[in-house]
Amino acid sequence: MPGGRLSQQERQQIALGLADSLPYAEIARRLDRPTSTVTREVMRNGGPTGYRADLAHHATERRAHRRKPAPSGGAEAARRPDGRDAQAVVDYEEAFTTVLMASGLNKMAARVLTNLFLTDSGSLTASELAQRLQVSPASISKAITFLESQSLVRRERDERRRDRYVVDDELFYQATIASARANDHLVALARQGVALLGAHTPAAARLENIARFLDFISESITRAAEQAREVLRSRPSTATSDVPPGHSDQAAIRS
């Protein structure tokens, strides 16, 4: 896949594609770039409605100038205490955050969730998050409140009576179930409209179809989540370590 920074001309093509309401994948295809590159570019520079090619290009140049040169000492200097490549981890965090933002999270909630997911312990305190992200405690509190409301994080007290914010395997299951059940209110409201408008009217028929569709989707998601729950509880084994990414879990679900 083509690498390197986006040119100003490519950014102008992205802006034109957004103006024409093209999906990211189509814009990327026209540029011969990965879809993730276009998604990240748009989400970090105003989103699909606020993206401006010239502003995005200047912002990228400013970020490049602000970056400190790599310390001397070879590859070892670019590694973290845990042995991971520091720049690779930063790039991955940015990509992960961009994907979460594309799924609907605001930037701060996405950054908080990314840090929690990529921490080996799966938990951090508010002060640890603020230090990692270089933001105020108030910003962390607001993001955590939203993530808790969506069942994406949970709160625990540690031995020092500090609140710790946790992500674990079970939260993915709970969030999926909560998302499926969120349709129940709309189903009930649609069927209320059926009774109000008269069962034999076109408007009532439309509302009933919506209710039936959402009922089916919710039941399907719930059933699939229950079946796949064991995948979240399992741990990688040597038997599946050589399977290409994305294939082992699918095989486990089918079995």
Side-chain angles (χ1 to χ4, degrees):
M1 294 184 293
R5 291 182 187 166
L6 291 165
S7 67
Q8 190 161 11
Q9 291 73 23
E10 286 177 310
R11 290 191 166 95
Q12 289 169 351
Q13 290 298 312
I14 290 174
L16 290 172
L18 293 172
D20 289 339
S21 300
L22 295 179
Y24 294 151
E26 176 59 21
I27 297 173
R29 187 189 67 77
R30 295 184 180 190
L31 295 176
D32 195 22
R33 291 275 192 171
T35 303
S36 59
T37 297
V38 174
T39 304
R40 183 164 59 249
E41 167 70 13
V42 174
M43 296 307 296
R44 76 184 303 184
N45 290 292
T49 59
Y51 184 82
R52 299 292 182 272
D54 290 343
L55 294 178
H57 193 70
H58 292 320
T60 301
E61 289 183 336
R62 286 197 301 272
R63 285 193 292 266
H65 287 309
R66 284 201 302 266
R67 288 175 182 165
K68 296 179 181 179
S72 59
E76 290 302 318
R79 304 197 80 79
R80 309 189 325 173
D82 56 16
R84 294 163 177 155
D85 184 310
Q87 187 57 51
V89 171
V90 169
D91 291 344
Y92 183 76
E93 287 177 352
E94 182 179 321
F96 203 103
T97 298
T98 300
V99 170
L100 291 177
M101 290 170 64
S103 73
L105 292 182
N106 65 51
K107 185 174 183 179
M108 185 52 62
R111 293 182 71 198
V112 168
L113 197 57
T114 293
N115 269 261
L116 288 170
F117 272 129
L118 303 188
T119 303
D120 285 329
S121 65
S123 72
L124 293 167
T125 65
S127 62
E128 289 169 339
L129 283 165
Q131 183 176 6
R132 280 169 169 257
L133 299 178
Q134 294 295 293
V135 297
S136 68
S139 296
I140 297 298
S141 177
K142 185 176 180 180
I144 287 292
T145 298
F146 174 77
L147 292 171
E148 284 185 306
S149 74
Q150 302 299 306
S151 301
L152 292 172
V153 301
R154 61 183 170 81
R155 190 185 306 238
E156 290 183 350
R157 281 290 181 96
D158 62 16
E159 64 280 358
R160 296 170 59 183
R161 300 189 62 78
R162 299 176 303 178
D163 283 336
R164 299 191 70 85
Y165 304 105
V166 182
V167 291
D168 58 21
D169 298 333
E170 192 67 15
L171 278 172
F172 250 110
Y173 165 79
Q174 296 294 348
T176 302
I177 294 297
S179 176
R181 289 176 177 166
N183 287 330
D184 292 348
H185 297 295
L186 186 52
V187 170
L189 188 62
R191 291 206 162 119
Q192 182 182 344
V194 171
L196 175 66
L197 300 175
H200 301 294
T201 64
R206 186 181 307 116
L207 291 173
E208 178 59 26
N209 284 340
I210 291 172
R212 291 170 58 201
F213 173 81
L214 292 176
D215 259 343
F216 181 84
I217 293 296
S218 295
E219 290 175 9
S220 299
I221 290 174
T222 301
R223 190 181 310 112
E226 293 290 353
Q227 292 172 347
R229 196 174 189 180
E230 285 304 314
V231 174
L232 291 173
R233 293 173 174 170
S234 64
R235 291 292 177 266
S237 65
T238 55
T240 60
S241 60
D242 294 330
V243 178
H247 287 69
S248 57
D249 286 349
Q250 292 172 9
I253 293 173
R254 286 197 298 270
S255 62

